Amino acid sequence: MKGDMYTVGEVSKMTGVSKDTLLYYDKINLFKPQYVNPETKYRYYTYKQFWQLDIIICCKNLGIPIPVIRDILLTKDSQKIIEMMKVHQEEAMTRSNYYKKVAEDIDWYVEQYNMVKSITVPSQITVEHFQERRVIYAENENNMKDYHSKFLEATKNVLKRTDSFRRSSGFIMNPEGIEKNKFMKIGEYAEFESDMEDVVNEENYHVIPEGEYACCIVNVVNRDVDFSQLNQWLMEHKIKPELVLMEEIGFQLFDYFAQGYPCRVKVKI
C-alpha cells in the first residue's frame, strides 16, 4: 500500500506501540484503521490519524484509563478536557499517597525485624513509668482460643478502614503464669497508629493504668517462658504481681510461636 497508508507493523515500528496493542485498540473502537482490505483483512492507517495515537500514548503515560481517553478523543472542548484531567489528577494523588504509605509500612516492617534481631534475652530488670493507655481489647472468657476470635471481631472495623498494618500487640497475663513459667493469657490488646475511636465499640476498649512497672525482656516458645530472673526480682522487692502485661517486640508476618519470639514483660508495682 503506497501513499500515506501504513500497515499495523509499520505503525508499530514508527511509534513503539506493539502490534497486539494496536489490534486491541481497534477491537475496542479506540483507534481504528482508516481502511481494511476486504480480501486480505490487512489494516491500514493514514498519517493524519497519528495525532490520535499521540494523544492515546500521552494519556496512557499519565495512567488515564481507556474510557476517559475515549472521551478525550471525542471532546473538542479544551475546558472539558482539563476538567477530566483534573479528576484524574485527584485520583492519581490518592493512589500516590496510598503507595507512599505502602512503602513507609514496608520500611516500618524492616525496622521491626531489625529490632527483633537486636534484642538480648533475658534483659536486666528496669523500673519505668508509663502513661495511661486506651487499647482495643478482648478477654478470654471460655478458653485459650476464645480471646483471639473476640479480638478479631473487636478490630474488624479498624482493619477494614485503616490503610496501614502498623500496630503494637500485647496480652494481659494471669499473674500465676509467672510463677509457673507459663504464658497464661487473660486477654489480647492492640494499639494502631491511626485514631480509631469512631469505629471501635466502647466495650472493646480497655484502660491500662498509669504507673511504675518492672520491665524485662523474655523469650516465649509456644507457652513456655523463663521468668526466673523476674521472679527473683519480685521476691527480693516483696512484690506480689497483680497486673502483668506481655508486649510483643516487633511485628512479624509468619507463624513464629514454635521458634520463639521476644516479649517485654511489664509488672505494675
Side-chain angles (χ1 to χ4, degrees):
M1 181 70 65
K2 297 181 180 180
D4 63 349
M5 303 292 281
Y6 301 88
T7 65
V8 173
E10 289 171 330
V11 174
S12 177
K13 185 176 181 180
M14 284 186 290
T15 64
V17 179
S18 71
K19 294 180 183 179
D20 287 343
T21 299
L22 289 170
L23 294 174
Y24 173 67
Y25 288 165
D26 179 16
K27 181 179 179 180
I28 64 174
N29 296 317
L30 181 67
F31 181 64
K32 298 188 72 65
Q34 184 69 40
Y35 171 74
V36 178
N37 187 306
E39 296 180 359
T40 64
K41 304 302 181 184
Y42 283 2
R43 296 166 172 82
Y44 295 94
Y45 300 86
T46 66
Y47 182 77
K48 293 180 179 180
Q49 288 183 277
F50 284 4
W51 68 269
Q52 292 178 303
L53 195 54
D54 285 341
I55 293 173
I56 293 171
I57 292 171
C58 288
C59 289
K60 288 294 289 180
N61 287 340
L62 291 173
I64 297 175
I66 284 176
V68 179
I69 296 176
R70 182 179 286 110
D71 289 341
I72 289 174
L73 289 173
L74 295 174
T75 300
K76 307 300 181 183
D77 186 331
S78 292
Q79 183 60 40
K80 289 183 178 179
I81 291 175
I82 288 173
E83 290 172 2
M84 285 187 281
M85 296 286 276
K86 282 292 186 181
V87 170
H88 176 69
Q89 182 184 46
E90 292 177 3
E91 294 172 352
M93 289 300 296
T94 299
R95 289 196 298 271
S96 175
N97 292 335
Y98 168 75
Y99 285 113
K100 181 175 181 292
K101 189 73 171 179
V102 168
E104 291 172 350
D105 278 0
I106 292 173
D107 283 340
W108 177 83
Y109 184 73
V110 172
E111 291 173 2
Q112 296 289 297
Y113 168 73
N114 290 331
M115 185 191 308
V116 173
K117 282 205 312 180
S118 67
I119 292 298
T120 300
V121 180
S123 69
Q124 296 298 313
I125 309 293
T126 60
V127 176
E128 301 180 42
H129 184 89
F130 294 98
Q131 298 296 322
E132 178 181 286
R133 291 184 294 161
R134 270 169 58 87
V135 297
I136 304 174
Y137 177 72
E139 191 162 299
N140 170 26
E141 296 177 356
N142 301 317
N143 54 59
M144 292 304 294
K145 295 180 180 179
D146 184 66
Y147 76 91
H148 193 64
S149 62
K150 290 185 177 297
F151 176 76
L152 291 176
E153 185 176 354
T155 58
K156 65 181 179 182
N157 289 332
V158 176
L159 297 175
K160 284 180 182 178
R161 197 180 83 169
T162 184
D163 56 359
S164 172
F165 61 65
R166 298 189 208 182
R167 74 194 74 166
S168 57
S169 301
F171 305 90
I172 294 180
M173 305 295 295
N174 184 334
E176 294 180 4
I178 293 181
E179 296 179 0
K180 298 177 180 179
N181 287 321
K182 290 293 182 182
F183 194 19
M184 298 170 61
K185 312 165 191 174
I186 294 175
E188 179 178 7
Y189 63 86
E191 292 180 276
F192 292 82
E193 291 198 358
S194 303
D195 182 9
M196 296 297 168
E197 292 279 345
D198 60 331
V199 295
V200 179
N201 295 328
E202 187 64 30
E203 62 265 25
N204 293 127
Y205 275 111
H206 182 79
V207 175
I208 296 177
E210 179 180 1
E212 304 290 323
Y213 289 79
C215 307
C216 69
I217 296 174
V218 296
N219 195 51
V220 181
V221 181
N222 290 320
R223 293 180 58 202
D224 296 321
V225 193
D226 183 2
F227 286 120
S228 56
Q229 183 176 327
L230 179 59
N231 276 322
Q232 181 66 30
W233 189 92
L234 293 172
M235 187 180 301
E236 290 174 358
H237 291 78
K238 299 179 180 179
I239 295 172
K240 182 174 178 60
E242 295 183 1
L243 174 61
V244 181
L245 309 177
M246 184 84 86
E247 297 181 346
E248 295 185 8
I249 297 176
F251 184 78
Q252 302 180 68
L253 295 173
F254 61 93
D255 185 2
Y256 48 80
F257 297 101
Q259 86 174 48
Y261 56 102
C263 284
R264 192 179 199 201
V265 189
K266 297 179 179 179
V267 179
K268 191 171 187 308
I269 57 179

Coordinates of all heavy atoms in Angstrom, one line a residue, residues 110-155:
V110 N 10.6 -3.6 58.2 CA 12.1 -3.9 58.2 C 12.6 -3.4 59.6 O 13.5 -4.1 60.2 CB 12.8 -3.1 57.0 CG1 14.3 -3.3 57.2 CG2 12.4 -3.7 55.7
E111 N 12.2 -2.3 60.0 CA 12.6 -1.8 61.4 C 12.2 -2.8 62.5 O 13.0 -3.0 63.4 CB 12.0 -0.4 61.6 CG 12.6 0.7 60.8 CD 11.9 2.0 61.0 OE1 10.9 2.1 61.8 OE2 12.2 3.0 60.3
Q112 N 11.0 -3.3 62.3 CA 10.5 -4.3 63.3 C 11.4 -5.5 63.3 O 11.8 -6.0 64.4 CB 9.1 -4.7 63.0 CG 8.1 -3.6 63.1 CD 7.8 -3.2 64.5 OE1 7.3 -3.9 65.4 NE2 8.2 -1.9 64.9
Y113 N 11.8 -6.0 62.1 CA 12.7 -7.1 62.0 C 14.1 -6.8 62.7 O 14.6 -7.7 63.4 CB 12.9 -7.5 60.6 CG 14.0 -8.5 60.3 CD1 13.8 -9.8 60.6 CD2 15.2 -8.1 59.7 CE1 14.9 -10.7 60.4 CE2 16.2 -9.0 59.4 CZ 16.0 -10.3 59.8 OH 17.0 -11.2 59.5
N114 N 14.6 -5.7 62.4 CA 15.9 -5.3 62.9 C 15.9 -5.2 64.4 O 16.8 -5.5 65.1 CB 16.4 -4.0 62.3 CG 16.8 -4.2 60.8 OD1 17.2 -5.3 60.4 ND2 16.7 -3.1 60.0
M115 N 14.7 -4.7 64.9 CA 14.5 -4.6 66.4 C 14.6 -6.0 67.0 O 15.2 -6.1 68.0 CB 13.2 -3.9 66.7 CG 12.9 -3.6 68.1 SD 11.2 -3.1 68.4 CE 11.0 -1.8 67.2
V116 N 13.9 -6.9 66.4 CA 13.9 -8.3 67.0 C 15.3 -8.9 67.0 O 15.8 -9.5 67.9 CB 13.0 -9.2 66.2 CG1 13.1 -10.7 66.6 CG2 11.5 -8.8 66.3
K117 N 16.1 -8.6 65.9 CA 17.4 -9.1 65.8 C 18.4 -8.6 66.8 O 19.3 -9.2 67.3 CB 18.0 -8.8 64.4 CG 17.5 -9.7 63.3 CD 18.6 -9.8 62.1 CE 19.0 -8.4 61.7 NZ 20.0 -8.5 60.6
S118 N 18.1 -7.3 67.3 CA 19.0 -6.6 68.2 C 18.7 -7.0 69.7 O 19.4 -6.6 70.5 CB 18.9 -5.1 68.0 OG 17.6 -4.6 68.4
I119 N 17.6 -7.7 69.9 CA 17.2 -8.0 71.3 C 18.1 -9.0 72.0 O 18.5 -10.0 71.4 CB 15.8 -8.5 71.3 CG1 14.8 -7.4 70.9 CG2 15.4 -9.1 72.7 CD1 14.8 -6.2 71.8
T120 N 18.5 -8.7 73.2 CA 19.2 -9.6 74.1 C 18.3 -10.2 75.1 O 17.7 -9.4 75.8 CB 20.4 -8.9 74.7 OG1 21.3 -8.4 73.7 CG2 21.2 -9.9 75.6
V121 N 18.2 -11.5 75.2 CA 17.3 -12.1 76.1 C 18.1 -13.1 77.0 O 18.9 -13.8 76.6 CB 16.2 -13.0 75.3 CG1 15.2 -13.6 76.3 CG2 15.4 -12.1 74.4
P122 N 17.8 -13.0 78.4 CA 16.9 -12.1 79.0 C 17.6 -10.8 79.3 O 18.8 -10.7 79.3 CB 16.6 -12.8 80.4 CG 17.8 -13.6 80.7 CD 18.4 -14.0 79.3
S123 N 16.8 -9.7 79.5 CA 17.4 -8.4 79.8 C 17.4 -8.1 81.3 O 16.7 -8.9 82.1 CB 16.6 -7.3 79.0 OG 15.3 -7.2 79.6
Q124 N 18.0 -7.1 81.7 CA 18.0 -6.7 83.1 C 16.6 -6.1 83.4 O 15.9 -5.6 82.6 CB 19.1 -5.6 83.3 CG 20.5 -6.1 83.1 CD 20.9 -7.2 84.1 OE1 20.6 -7.2 85.3 NE2 21.5 -8.3 83.5
I125 N 16.3 -6.2 84.7 CA 15.1 -5.6 85.2 C 15.2 -4.1 85.4 O 16.2 -3.6 85.9 CB 14.7 -6.2 86.6 CG1 14.7 -7.8 86.6 CG2 13.3 -5.7 87.0 CD1 13.7 -8.4 85.7
T126 N 14.3 -3.4 84.8 CA 14.3 -1.9 84.9 C 12.9 -1.5 85.5 O 11.9 -2.2 85.2 CB 14.5 -1.2 83.6 OG1 13.5 -1.6 82.7 CG2 15.9 -1.6 83.1
V127 N 12.8 -0.4 86.1 CA 11.6 0.2 86.6 C 11.3 1.4 85.8 O 12.1 2.4 85.7 CB 11.6 0.5 88.1 CG1 10.3 1.2 88.5 CG2 11.8 -0.8 88.9
E128 N 10.2 1.5 85.1 CA 9.8 2.6 84.2 C 8.4 3.1 84.5 O 7.6 2.3 84.9 CB 10.0 2.1 82.7 CG 11.4 1.7 82.4 CD 11.4 1.2 80.9 OE1 10.9 1.9 80.1 OE2 12.1 0.2 80.6
H129 N 8.2 4.3 84.2 CA 6.9 5.0 84.4 C 6.2 5.0 83.0 O 6.8 5.5 82.0 CB 7.0 6.4 85.0 CG 5.7 7.0 85.3 ND1 5.1 6.8 86.5 CD2 4.9 7.8 84.5 CE1 3.9 7.5 86.5 NE2 3.8 8.1 85.3
F130 N 4.9 4.6 83.0 CA 4.2 4.7 81.7 C 2.9 5.4 82.0 O 2.3 5.3 83.0 CB 3.9 3.2 81.2 CG 5.1 2.5 80.8 CD1 5.7 1.6 81.7 CD2 5.6 2.7 79.5 CE1 6.8 0.9 81.3 CE2 6.7 2.0 79.1 CZ 7.4 1.1 80.0
Q131 N 2.5 6.2 80.9 CA 1.2 6.9 81.0 C 0.0 5.9 80.8 O 0.2 4.8 80.3 CB 1.2 8.0 79.9 CG 2.3 9.1 80.1 CD 2.1 9.9 81.4 OE1 1.0 10.2 81.8 NE2 3.2 10.2 82.0
E132 N -1.2 6.4 81.2 CA -2.4 5.6 80.9 C -2.6 5.4 79.4 O -2.3 6.3 78.6 CB -3.6 6.4 81.5 CG -4.9 5.7 81.3 CD -6.0 6.5 81.9 OE1 -6.2 6.5 83.2 OE2 -6.8 7.1 81.2
R133 N -3.1 4.3 79.0 CA -3.3 4.0 77.6 C -4.7 3.4 77.5 O -5.2 2.6 78.3 CB -2.3 3.0 77.1 CG -0.9 3.6 76.9 CD 0.0 2.6 76.3 NE 0.2 1.4 77.1 CZ 0.7 0.2 76.6 NH1 0.9 0.1 75.3 NH2 0.9 -0.8 77.4
R134 N -5.4 3.7 76.4 CA -6.6 3.0 76.0 C -6.3 2.1 74.8 O -5.8 2.6 73.8 CB -7.7 4.1 75.5 CG -8.6 4.5 76.7 CD -9.4 5.7 76.3 NE -10.3 5.5 75.2 CZ -11.5 4.9 75.3 NH1 -12.0 4.6 76.4 NH2 -12.2 4.8 74.2
V135 N -6.6 0.9 75.0 CA -6.2 -0.1 73.9 C -7.5 -0.9 73.5 O -8.4 -1.0 74.3 CB -5.2 -1.1 74.4 CG1 -3.9 -0.4 74.8 CG2 -5.6 -1.9 75.7
I136 N -7.4 -1.4 72.3 CA -8.5 -2.3 71.8 C -8.3 -3.7 72.5 O -7.2 -4.2 72.3 CB -8.5 -2.4 70.3 CG1 -8.7 -1.0 69.7 CG2 -9.7 -3.3 69.8 CD1 -8.6 -0.9 68.2
Y137 N -9.3 -4.2 73.1 CA -9.0 -5.4 74.0 C -10.2 -6.4 73.9 O -11.3 -6.1 73.7 CB -8.9 -4.9 75.4 CG -8.8 -6.0 76.5 CD1 -7.6 -6.6 76.6 CD2 -9.8 -6.3 77.3 CE1 -7.4 -7.6 77.5 CE2 -9.6 -7.3 78.3 CZ -8.4 -7.9 78.4 OH -8.3 -8.9 79.3
A138 N -9.8 -7.7 74.0 CA -10.7 -8.7 74.0 C -10.3 -9.7 75.1 O -9.1 -10.1 75.1 CB -10.9 -9.4 72.7
E139 N -11.2 -10.2 76.0 CA -10.8 -11.0 77.1 C -11.1 -12.5 76.8 O -12.1 -12.8 76.1 CB -11.5 -10.5 78.3 CG -11.0 -11.2 79.6 CD -11.4 -10.4 80.8 OE1 -11.0 -9.2 80.9 OE2 -12.1 -11.0 81.7
N140 N -10.4 -13.4 77.4 CA -10.6 -14.8 77.3 C -11.7 -15.2 78.3 O -11.4 -15.3 79.5 CB -9.2 -15.5 77.6 CG -9.4 -17.0 77.7 OD1 -10.4 -17.6 77.2 ND2 -8.6 -17.7 78.4
E141 N -12.8 -15.5 77.8 CA -14.0 -15.9 78.6 C -14.1 -17.4 78.8 O -14.5 -17.8 79.9 CB -15.3 -15.3 78.1 CG -15.3 -13.7 78.1 CD -16.5 -13.2 77.5 OE1 -17.4 -14.0 77.0 OE2 -16.7 -12.0 77.5
N142 N -13.9 -18.1 77.8 CA -14.2 -19.6 77.8 C -12.9 -20.5 77.7 O -12.8 -21.4 78.5 CB -15.1 -19.9 76.6 CG -16.4 -19.1 76.7 OD1 -17.0 -19.0 77.8 ND2 -16.8 -18.7 75.6
N143 N -12.0 -20.1 76.8 CA -10.8 -21.0 76.7 C -9.7 -20.1 76.1 O -9.8 -19.0 75.8 CB -11.1 -22.2 75.8 CG -11.7 -21.8 74.5 OD1 -11.1 -21.0 73.7 ND2 -12.9 -22.3 74.2
M144 N -8.5 -20.7 75.9 CA -7.4 -20.0 75.5 C -7.5 -19.5 74.0 O -6.8 -18.6 73.6 CB -6.1 -20.9 75.6 CG -5.7 -21.2 77.0 SD -5.4 -19.7 78.0 CE -4.0 -19.0 77.2
K145 N -8.4 -20.1 73.3 CA -8.6 -19.7 71.9 C -9.6 -18.6 71.8 O -9.7 -17.9 70.8 CB -8.9 -20.8 71.0 CG -7.8 -21.9 70.9 CD -8.2 -23.0 70.0 CE -7.1 -24.1 69.9 NZ -7.5 -25.2 69.0
D146 N -10.5 -18.5 72.8 CA -11.7 -17.6 72.7 C -11.3 -16.2 72.6 O -11.9 -15.4 71.8 CB -12.5 -17.8 73.9 CG -13.8 -17.0 73.9 OD1 -14.6 -17.3 73.0 OD2 -13.9 -16.1 74.7
Y147 N -10.2 -15.7 73.3 CA -9.9 -14.3 73.3 C -9.5 -13.8 71.9 O -9.8 -12.7 71.5 CB -8.7 -14.1 74.2 CG -7.4 -14.5 73.7 CD1 -6.6 -13.6 73.0 CD2 -6.9 -15.8 73.8 CE1 -5.4 -14.0 72.4 CE2 -5.7 -16.2 73.3 CZ -4.9 -15.3 72.6 OH -3.8 -15.7 72.0
H148 N -8.8 -14.7 71.1 CA -8.4 -14.2 69.8 C -9.5 -14.0 68.8 O -9.5 -13.1 68.0 CB -7.3 -15.1 69.2 CG -6.6 -14.5 68.0 ND1 -5.8 -13.4 68.1 CD2 -6.6 -14.8 66.7 CE1 -5.3 -13.1 67.0 NE2 -5.8 -13.9 66.1
S149 N -10.5 -14.9 68.8 CA -11.7 -14.8 68.0 C -12.4 -13.5 68.3 O -12.9 -12.7 67.5 CB -12.6 -16.0 68.0 OG -13.1 -16.1 69.3
K150 N -12.5 -13.2 69.6 CA -13.2 -12.0 70.1 C -12.4 -10.8 69.7 O -12.9 -9.7 69.4 CB -13.4 -12.0 71.6 CG -14.5 -13.1 72.0 CD -14.8 -13.0 73.5 CE -15.9 -13.9 73.8 NZ -17.2 -13.6 73.2
F151 N -11.0 -10.9 69.8 CA -10.2 -9.8 69.4 C -10.3 -9.4 67.9 O -10.4 -8.3 67.6 CB -8.7 -10.2 69.7 CG -7.7 -9.1 69.3 CD1 -7.5 -8.0 70.0 CD2 -6.9 -9.3 68.2 CE1 -6.6 -7.0 69.7 CE2 -6.0 -8.3 67.8 CZ -5.9 -7.2 68.5
L152 N -10.4 -10.5 67.1 CA -10.6 -10.2 65.7 C -11.9 -9.5 65.4 O -12.0 -8.6 64.5 CB -10.5 -11.5 64.9 CG -9.1 -12.2 64.8 CD1 -9.3 -13.6 64.1 CD2 -8.1 -11.4 64.1
E153 N -12.9 -9.9 66.1 CA -14.2 -9.3 66.0 C -14.1 -7.8 66.4 O -14.7 -6.9 65.8 CB -15.3 -10.0 66.8 CG -16.7 -9.5 66.6 CD -17.7 -10.3 67.3 OE1 -17.3 -11.4 67.9 OE2 -18.9 -9.9 67.3
A154 N -13.4 -7.5 67.5 CA -13.3 -6.2 68.0 C -12.5 -5.3 67.1 O -12.8 -4.1 67.0 CB -12.6 -6.2 69.4
T155 N -11.6 -5.8 66.3 CA -10.7 -5.0 65.5 C -11.1 -5.0 64.0 O -10.5 -4.4 63.2 CB -9.2 -5.4 65.6 OG1 -9.1 -6.8 65.2 CG2 -8.7 -5.3 67.0

